Amino acid sequence: MRGLPMLIRLITPSLRLPRNSRPKARHISRLHRHLQPPSCCRALAMTVSDWKVVPQNHLIPPYNLFTRPLEKSQVDDRQYSVIRLENGLTAMLVHDPCAENAAASLNVAVGHLSDPDDMPGLAHFCEHLLFMGTKQFPKENEYSEYLSKNDGGSNAYTSSSNTNYHFRVSPSALPGALERFSGFFHSPLFAPSCTSRELNAVDSEHKKNHQADPWRIFQLNKTLSKAGHPWSKFGTGNRATLTAAGREAKARGKLSVNTLVNGNGVEKSANISKEPSPITSRTPSPTPSSSSANSESDADGGSVGRETRRRLIEWWSKEYCASRMELCVIGREPLEELAAMVSKLFSPIPNRSQDPSPIIDEHPFGPNEMGTLVSVQTIKSFHAVEISFPLAWQPPLWKYKPGYFLSHFLGHEGHGSLFAYLKGKGWITSLSAATQALGRGFAMFKTTMHLTKNGFDNYRSVVLATFKYLTLLRASEFPRWFQSEIATIAKTQFQFSEKRAAEGYAVTIAERMSWPVPTEKLLTAPVLLSEWESDEGERQVREALKNLQVDSGRVVLMAKKEEHERIFGGEKHWESEKWYGTGYTVERWDDQFLHEARSPNDIPDLHLPGRNRFIPTNLDVEKHNVQEPVQRPHLIRQSDISKVWYKKDDQFWLPRAVVIVDIRSPVAGDKPRATVLTKLCVDLVNDSLTEYAYDAELAGLAYHVTAHSLGMTLSLKGYNDKLPELAKYVVRALKNLVPTQDRLNVMKEKLKRDWDNFFMNQSYQLSDYYGCHMLGHQTWTVQELLEELPRVQLEEVAAHNRQLLSKINIQTLVLGNMYKDQAIALSESVEGILDPSPLVEGEVPSERALILPEGSNYMWITSVPNPNEANSALTYYIHLGQLNDPRHRVVGTLLARIMSEPAFNVLRTKEQLGYIVSCSRWLLHGDSHFGIRIVVQSERGTGYLEERIEAFLDTMDTKLEEMKDHEFDDFKKGMQQRWREPAKNLGEEASKYWQHIDSGFLDFLRRFENADLIEKVEKREVVALFRERVHPRALKRAKLSIHMQSQKPRPPRISAKAVEVFEVLVREAGVPVDLAATKDEFDQESPVAADFLKRWSDVLTEDTVSIDVAKGLLGRLPALMEQYPVQDENVYSCSADVTRVDDIGAFKASLDVSPPPRPLVDWGDLPAAKL
């Protein structure tokens, strides 16, 4: 696979804050995903004559305007402008009169590679604390609350060389959002009262990732860098790393009341505020528990926390420089108005005279890191090998993109490719190759392969074959048509690119804005390639190939410990990575392997690809004036077997189409074994089509066949020119499936691995899964599927495929640049190829939900399967009712939206329950019923989490009752705007229609009905629904909570009350000790018992007290811990009305099943649809 491979993407994570928040397609063709550019200096690309000064106008400061037009796609109807403020900040302004949301993204050319050596994670901590209020808007959740009311949201992430902050909001609310957003960069409070909580948030984020292989392997690769290289830094950080400098300074007596130390250990008079946050910046939890920290002295982390905050401000005051910032703003306002807003709001950011784009030229691979094999222990069960080579930083090579050229060949999956050869051997299940921008100034070229068990046993041969293919590339000629074809595909994709969501588009632009390219090419240079007009393009490729050799690469072999030792033939001497404890070994290749790897290619099956016959040649679009786009698809064909829903594109005017063919059969998932067989059939079909369909994917025509509980779905999207040809080929492959034993074995092994690894997912993912399962009719657990998988035989698969396809119902959606007769012809071809019998009424399967009875309160408790996972999770579901009741649907959806931000603010920000906290609407199976789901992942007990959620719900009654009318209207307007916003692209439009076809309700105009209805909704209706069905004491409330409890015991802790009583005993004993200073040693209100005991053992020495008194005091601790336990570690005492679920099957059998779906509207399209 050419493009950024999934594993490479997974093991280069950025640090992202959760905001009230299907796997990616295996092929990612957009070039920006290959390069992931950080900021870099664009000064050389700027010509003074291309800029003009726009003078000051009243309160609008002057700025420079780029005068040349920006190159853009021929179908892009947005207007662009680039301005540079006097402080050096550069902004891209985008006028989009049809924008569904306004958005902004600010990229700072500083990331975790700029962390001080003694404070790993400081850039990440800055990203967290920066959001906690500004001088203009001191309330800590003012920003998120404003966005939430205006149908918006925000996020941020810290990468190696940049940090990005971004938001989306209703278009009319953009000025207010920018006003709040801009203050973070010129006058943030870094609220002292939030210091301890955000330290905990960073710590919780790290712990969330501790059992995740992508993060573990990512950090190991960093740790194994050249000694002293910044790439080796621990970018996430945790509470210990962020406070280590402060704790060390305190131990040296450097942290007196008025004296702090700077990063070099030099004493410095503290000139930052040591006062608590302004009273308006921090409101305590409205539902404080006994473990809630409400005192400001606890909240600011004491002297250590204050020193950590001081160091943060010192770092921010140096590194967050206006000239290092690139901003993108997308809105409906004219460009001049956007420019005025940006100049006024962002000009106050100071220019601190820093290097605009600090570059690290040195690569983290030195002689000791090259030519090595690193064996890595994984948490999940899988086999993979990753081969990495040093590569020149790619943004300066934007014209020819040599790294992308090489990824095209090494990641190819067609005939003669490395993938085809290794797959034919039964050694791999996937291969991907891509460039990876590690930091500004250095990069890698990586090839990643997921191996079968047999492939892992033969990993040396797999790696050797890769080096043989690289040798083949070095020895081959590159006719210029190779680059020409790649450039043609990229140009076509760009010229007919679909509009993206505003927020994601703003992030992409802001990330790319400081590429070293001419300003007019900011949109085109990152994604387009030039043909080889001279020898320079090929020279760059040959130069890159020189480094892609065994002597300069690193091979990382990934598997469980026992698998490594099995092929090694005994126990290995493992080392442990510092931050995650990942087990690994490093060794050098033996001489025999090196000799073979350096030898010419001797594998005859390997050769370069031929020309791509799927490159579209007909890109015509018949565009005509449309007063208003048709709001739904029409039924244009109906037979005993199938229905065809169709809509000709009337708003995007691109040579693209989307086709969805859903095949339903009552035997597809009626039993666990049938579900397994259906999944294997689909996997084998996809597997058989790889070599044929890969060129289509490269050329922008993608397909996939997926299995589901009701049957199979074939989806195709891309250029319509050759779409029918590909569709018919795939359907024939589905009909004529002839599985072989070797490929079935590979698919079974892969499926078993995926399902085994499911139980190693994060705790909240598991609690959500079980919640869905328990409320779904005729659903099977992963465990039930795993029990059937080993017994599946070859002949069963073919027989099941024949039986499934012999009697079916087909629903088809055709949308885009295809005519009605083409859609009908394609449908007839599908029916003709499959040649099935029809299902009679009542046989067509449908998804259905299980309905909790009114007045019920269910709880299911189980253990997190991963014994090393420290986090528990709680999914808390409250049933609201039927989704097909229009007013009930609108009121319930509005209630869920109003609850979302307060839930995050109280449960995550204020109470610090955990990093993962979310409150949202939840649709049950079949989309006929819905409710509200709150999920929390935490190190605390799930019983305590349930108590805190119910305490939060108790306070929501008052919040709803006291909500001002204008606030309520803001929420209504935000939801109305969301429902009325048009689809941004063909895929989004297809998704909107398909959910109504798939559910069977055919309620295509629902969102418009919602938007009209919400105008009439009154606050009393929302309050009434909450009191009737959501409040913990509501008589009609129907609730189910899923408790996933960690098996890993938390270290015993001492409660705040026990600490308080112990200090009284110390004082009564007359011990001469500074109690406040001793208490300040601990990061948390309830310290770990072992740490507390050790600290007091160090204090109660013979110099201060007798041995008997010391023993007596310390001996009281166990009794105090028992008398005053930490509340959240208590066993949850269920309320009297809670029903504990012990048997899931019996529980599901006791619930009512939602009725089969029926169309809510008779559209009357046939016999002749009026199109």
Side-chain angles (χ1 to χ4, degrees), residues 1 462 511 537 676 685 782 790:
M1 177 172 66
V462 171
E511 285 179 337
V676 173
V685 168
V782 172

Side-chain angles (χ1 to χ4, degrees), residues 891-1064:
V891 174
T893 303
L894 180 58
L895 172 60
R897 179 66 183 178
I898 291 173
M899 289 176 59
S900 177
E901 197 280 334
F904 185 87
N905 188 49
V906 171
L907 300 176
R908 194 234 193 229
T909 304
K910 287 181 167 42
E911 297 203 15
Q912 293 284 286
L913 295 185
Y915 185 74
I916 302 294
V917 174
S918 179
C919 174
S920 61
R921 187 183 77 162
W922 228 25
L923 301 186
L924 298 188
H925 290 259
D927 291 357
S928 62
H929 285 72
F930 76 116
I932 291 175
R933 160 267 208 177
I934 301 175
V935 64
V936 179
Q937 179 171 286
S938 174
E939 290 185 84
R940 301 187 181 189
T942 56
Y944 177 75
L945 300 181
E946 180 146 335
E947 288 180 355
R948 302 316 305 152
I949 288 175
E950 297 200 337
F952 159 72
L953 292 175
D954 192 43
T955 66
M956 273 302 302
D957 185 279
T958 303
K959 185 173 182 65
L960 289 169
E961 184 66 41
E962 295 178 352
M963 180 177 287
K964 305 296 184 185
D965 288 343
H966 71 86
E967 292 181 281
F968 185 72
D969 289 342
D970 285 342
F971 279 109
K972 287 172 56 176
K973 290 175 184 175
M975 293 302 301
Q976 186 178 59
Q977 190 270 334
R978 173 182 292 187
W979 282 322
R980 284 180 174 165
E981 68 187 34
K984 294 179 289 295
N985 52 59
L986 206 59
E988 188 175 299
E989 185 181 17
S991 179
K992 289 178 185 292
Y993 298 148
W994 183 251
Q995 64 178 322
H996 299 295
I997 298 171
D998 187 47
S999 69
F1001 295 117
L1002 306 181
D1003 196 9
F1004 297 115
L1005 304 184
R1006 174 177 292 181
R1007 60 195 180 95
F1008 302 107
E1009 182 182 23
N1010 290 348
D1012 292 339
L1013 263 176
I1014 201 170
E1015 288 186 357
K1016 305 167 188 174
V1017 171
E1018 298 179 7
K1019 190 180 78 170
R1020 60 176 178 80
E1021 296 178 79
V1022 175
V1023 174
L1025 178 61
F1026 178 85
R1027 290 174 176 171
E1028 181 182 75
R1029 296 194 175 273
V1030 179
H1031 193 280
R1033 292 189 296 277
L1035 295 179
K1036 290 187 177 182
R1037 193 172 87 130
K1039 166 255 170 184
L1040 169 66
S1041 59
I1042 311 296
H1043 294 238
M1044 299 294 303
Q1045 297 183 335
S1046 171
Q1047 300 181 57
K1048 189 173 184 178
R1050 294 189 74 192
R1053 309 183 86 86
I1054 299 180
S1055 69
K1057 181 63 177 176
V1059 171
E1060 180 184 334
V1061 174
F1062 182 78
E1063 290 176 347
V1064 170

